[in-house]
Amino acid sequence: MSLQFHRADEDMEIWSANGDGYSFVISFETPTGAGFRGRLGYVASWRPFDQRLCAIRVIGSPFQSLAEAEHACNIMLKYLNDQTACGRSRKT
């Protein structure tokens, strides 16, 4: 299943999506100006949806475009699902 991102806040460049028990967020950062501060680009992060854990940055962040960040999140979700499936098959 592909993640469907939606704008989480009208006033800030933040997008979010949930899928398969994980929450993903993409935010636009800039070294100066309004909004989030950091290296210029789209920063993606994830965390398990039902646990109170800190978010983990998606490797490659910041990305040059929102589309690249969305693609990286979908790859991360596939990886997480593959790891979960692998762990289940070992228990049998």
Side-chain angles (χ1 to χ4, degrees), residues 44-82:
S45 60
W46 67 274
R47 71 176 186 85
F49 190 67
D50 63 347
Q51 298 176 14
R52 293 180 178 221
L53 300 174
C54 296
I56 300 167
R57 187 178 283 209
V58 174
I59 294 173
S61 291
F63 298 95
Q64 292 182 6
S65 70
L66 178 60
E68 288 176 331
E70 288 177 345
H71 181 69
C73 289
N74 280 297
I75 290 171
M76 187 74 227
L77 179 59
K78 181 180 180 333
Y79 173 80
L80 291 166
N81 285 331
D82 289 349

Side-chain angles (χ1 to χ4, degrees), residues 16-28:
S16 66
N18 296 317
D20 296 338
Y22 296 95
S23 173
F24 289 82
V25 173
I26 299 171
S27 61
F28 183 75

Side-chain angles (χ1 to χ4, degrees), residues 3-16:
L3 294 166
Q4 300 297 312
F5 282 89
H6 64 275
R7 191 110 184 222
D9 186 289
E10 297 255 342
D11 298 326
M12 299 181 77
E13 293 194 59
I14 303 171
W15 295 265
S16 66

